[in-house]
Amino acid sequence: MNESYRLGEQSIIAHLQRLANGASTAELDVSALPAELRAIGEQLQKTHAVLQQERQLLERSAYIDPLTNLGNRGGLDRHVDQLWRKGIPFTCAYIDIDHLKHCNDTFGHAEGNRYILGICRVLTETMKHDDLLFRIGGDEFVLVSPTVDEAELERRLERTRSDLIEATSDGKAPMIASFSFGCSRVDPLAGDTHRQTVMDADRKMYRYKLMHRVQQPKEDNASQRPIADQLPCNDRVFQAISMSSETRYPFILNLDTGESQWSVNAVRDFDLPSQHPYNSVDMWLARVHPEDRDNVRTELDMVLNGTWHFHYMQYRVIDATGKYVLCDCTGYRLDATDTEPNMYVGIIINRSLADTTDSVTGLGDIHALVNAIGEMRRVAHEVGFIAIKIDDIAQVNARFGFDAGDRVLAESAACLMDCSRGKGCLFRSTGPMFVALFDNLDPQETDQIADEIERSLGSPVLIGSLEYLPPMRVATLHLDSVDRQPVSILNELKTLLAEAVQVPGTKLD
């Protein structure tokens, strides 16, 4: 064997080793091989090229959607993992095409594919240079932006949707095109989780779809049951759902007829006249605590007249025993369609019975607080937070026992409820820390309530023969909108409390 042939063999072996070690771009210099080895070298290059092409096709099928050429769910997961490892905050929007099933059923799947591609085109035309769009299902897209905040992305998608509806409402397009969306901002370094982000954006998207549904034109011969003859919901189904929880009371109010549906448990626990009362708004307001009633009436009026489509509020309601209990109310206004009336639909949670209630104070616990902040994220408006920490509870427990410490916390909670007067929602966060949430209040109003809290909590608590005045700290945080995960906001409130000046009280040394 001559030296040239031996060197050629070594060159081929070295090339194969580089490929085996993952060097997919390694090249073999065929022209440098001896003549008798060049055919082998050329065949190796051809085989490598074919394998590279097949690998690229496999990667493409794993990460690329074949219809739109966008990234698919695997591509989204890979991109998010990269951002997460680098600790880069980002905003994601979950986007759902409206009425895709109607398009497929009415005009065929070919037109359905054109509908999908049309939505894809208008979304990509509005994207920034570092945005990425993924198709993760038949009618589902996710847009990821590392630079645009939640409010800006919501405004951009709202403009895009409005322009799309206007462009396809002239009767020339097969149907009116639209989509629903929900946005969520996530910061991996602030303790947020990927699961929180997905759930938050997905829930906001479904709520948007409820409140902004676009109706497709009906055929002239389409059968239609008169609205006046309809019950808001099948009664047996409604009551079956109602009885699935002892602490949550669903309700449906037909705004056109005044008829309403209430759960059997609500009739029992709040002494309602029946499961189908008329004028149920006035009936319910009569049971609301007098100090909370005006604020509750104002918010309900905004929903009933169509100014607001979402309502979340916490206030006191008298129950069947004559005792006032703390309730959370979450509701949606659903505008009328050709076949459905205007409706107000929601659920009331009885905090005196709910499993997310703090047993000492009767307020919602940390789990309820996290859920409430999540609700605030679903509508972009001003939110004020007031954090209150009762200091020296550990010393009270050590000196007088845990019953005394619990009494201090319970009486503090009662004072805080009087200060909120139905304007906000109050929770016991962790230990001796309380958090109050106020939406649609400006910073001055939030500060005024914080000042009132400092004055009201200045009343002493009688522990045995000792009039104990609990020292405390109060801190406020005002956000134009809640565009962060709850854990990030709670961490900031704890930091603000640690820096707040203590309002002095009784010394126990």
Side-chain angles (χ1 to χ4, degrees):
M1 179 185 299
N2 59 42
E3 183 67 12
S4 174
Y5 191 92
R6 186 180 65 80
L7 293 174
E9 281 186 326
Q10 290 179 350
S11 178
I12 291 174
I13 292 171
H15 174 68
L16 292 173
Q17 288 177 336
R18 288 195 298 272
L19 292 177
N21 291 331
S24 58
T25 59
E27 294 185 3
L28 177 65
D29 187 359
V30 177
S31 62
L33 297 175
E36 55 269 41
L37 292 177
R38 287 177 187 169
I40 296 175
E42 289 173 354
Q43 187 59 45
L44 282 175
Q45 282 191 322
K46 290 179 182 179
T47 302
H48 180 241
V50 171
L51 292 174
Q52 282 283 85
Q53 187 176 26
E54 290 180 354
R55 183 180 67 82
Q56 291 172 357
L57 289 174
L58 286 172
E59 286 186 352
R60 182 176 179 82
S61 64
Y63 298 113
I64 301 296
D65 172 60
L67 176 64
T68 62
N69 285 323
L70 299 173
N72 59 14
R73 186 178 292 275
L76 171 65
D77 291 340
R78 182 172 65 170
H79 181 58
V80 168
D81 287 343
Q82 291 171 349
L83 295 173
W84 214 277
R85 284 196 300 271
K86 296 176 182 177
I88 299 175
F90 61 92
T91 304
C92 69
Y94 271 64
I95 302 165
D96 188 89
I97 298 177
D98 294 335
H99 302 297
L100 178 60
K101 184 178 185 302
H102 169 81
C103 184
N104 286 330
D105 293 346
T106 306
F107 306 107
H109 285 273
E111 184 60 40
N113 286 341
R114 283 191 286 272
Y115 184 25
I116 293 170
L117 292 171
I119 297 289
C120 174
R121 185 186 68 256
V122 298
L123 290 174
T124 54
E125 287 175 351
T126 63
M127 287 166 54
K128 305 296 184 182
H129 72 281
D130 53 359
D131 293 352
L132 284 178
L133 183 65
F134 301 86
R135 184 190 180 204
I136 63 170
D139 53 4
E140 297 175 284
F141 292 81
V142 175
L143 192 153
V144 178
S145 176
T147 55
V148 176
D149 64 26
E150 189 174 316
E152 182 180 347
L153 186 55
E154 287 176 347
R155 288 193 294 269
R156 187 208 305 173
L157 290 173
E158 187 63 57
R159 287 195 303 269
T160 302
R161 181 180 186 271
S162 298
D163 292 345
L164 180 64
I165 292 172
E166 183 179 356
T168 56
S169 296
D170 56 4
K172 297 179 181 179
M175 58 181 286
I176 300 173
S178 67
F179 57 85
S180 301
F181 63 89
C183 299
S184 183
R185 184 72 175 172
V186 60
D187 186 351
L189 299 181
D192 297 340
T193 67
H194 188 193
R195 182 172 178 272
Q196 284 175 322
T197 308
V198 170
M199 291 178 61
D200 182 51
D202 199 47
R203 288 185 64 189
K204 290 177 74 174
M205 181 271 291
Y206 276 108
R207 189 169 78 173
Y208 186 98
K209 187 179 288 289
L210 274 176
M211 297 189 296
H212 299 84
R213 180 172 54 180
V214 173
Q215 292 298 310
Q216 298 299 327
K218 300 291 184 181
E219 297 180 7
D220 294 338
N221 60 354
S223 60
Q224 178 176 316
R225 181 184 174 190
I227 291 177
D229 294 343
Q230 298 182 49
L231 283 172
C233 178
N234 179 284
D235 203 51
R236 291 179 67 237
V237 174
F238 177 83
Q239 296 305 336
I241 294 172
S242 301
M243 289 187 291
S244 65
S245 174
E246 288 287 317
T247 64
R248 290 167 168 80
Y249 315 108
F251 64 86
I252 301 176
L253 173 60
N254 185 324
L255 301 180
D256 295 337
T257 66
E259 182 183 6
S260 63
Q261 288 177 276
W262 292 76
S263 72
V264 175
N265 294 336
V267 174
R268 176 197 66 198
D269 293 344
F270 294 106
D271 193 26
L272 303 184
S274 72
Q275 294 173 236
H276 297 280
Y278 284 85
N279 300 318
S280 56
V281 172
D282 291 336
M283 173 204 71
W284 185 252
L285 283 171
R287 287 164 169 77
V288 174
H289 194 288
E291 292 183 354
D292 301 343
R293 191 173 296 149
D294 287 343
N295 290 309
V296 175
R297 188 194 309 274
T298 299
E299 286 220 4
L300 286 178
D301 285 345
M302 298 287 278
V303 174
L304 300 181
N305 66 27
T307 304
W308 289 355
H309 281 76
F310 174 68
H311 166 79
Y312 176 72
M313 201 172 187
Q314 185 183 77
Y315 47 86
R316 293 163 288 185
V317 183
I318 195 167
D319 66 10
T321 68
K323 181 178 70 174
Y324 280 101
V325 296
L326 189 63
C327 292
D328 293 353
C329 179
T330 303
Y332 297 89
R333 176 193 168 93
L334 303 181
D335 290 336
T337 67
D338 292 339
T339 58
E340 296 174 338
N342 290 292
M343 291 188 290
Y344 176 45
V345 182
I347 190 164
I348 294 168
I349 299 177
N350 186 341
R351 283 276 160 228
S352 68
L353 302 175
D355 53 5
T356 54
T357 298
D358 174 57
S359 59
V360 173
T361 63
L363 302 176
D365 62 11
I366 182 65
H367 304 290
L369 172 58
V370 169
N371 290 336
I373 297 176
E375 291 294 336
M376 298 291 188
R377 284 177 57 77
R378 305 196 200 330
V379 177
H381 52 53
E382 292 181 303
V383 178
F385 295 85
I386 301 178
I388 307 99
K389 182 182 178 185
I390 309 300
D391 284 341
D392 294 345
I393 286 295
Q395 290 89 324
V396 173
N397 291 334
R399 181 169 173 179
F400 302 102
F402 284 94
D403 286 344
D406 288 348
R407 190 158 70 253
V408 171
L409 292 174
E411 294 196 24
S412 298
C415 289
L416 291 171
M417 279 304 305
D418 288 337
C419 293
S420 68
R421 298 180 184 275
K423 294 180 181 178
C425 303
L426 184 64
F427 304 86
R428 182 182 177 187
S429 177
T430 53
M433 178 178 170
F434 299 89
V435 175
L437 280 64
F438 300 89
D439 61 340
N440 285 305
L441 288 188
D442 60 38
Q444 292 75 21
E445 292 176 293
T446 305
D447 289 340
Q448 288 173 3
I449 295 175
D451 292 340
E452 185 178 349
I453 287 173
E454 288 191 7
R455 293 192 299 270
S456 298
L457 290 182
S459 302
V461 178
L462 188 63
I463 304 177
S465 59
L466 173 67
E467 287 192 343
Y468 175 69
L469 185 65
M472 65 176 176
R473 302 172 191 271
V474 179
T476 59
L477 172 65
H478 188 83
L479 302 176
D480 291 335
S481 63
V482 180
D483 58 358
R484 289 183 277 156
Q485 298 292 343
V487 65
S488 175
I489 293 174
L490 293 177
N491 286 338
E492 183 172 355
L493 288 173
K494 289 179 181 178
T495 301
L496 292 172
L497 276 177
E499 297 171 350
V501 176
Q502 185 188 72
V503 179
T506 304
K507 293 186 179 296
L508 293 176
D509 297 335

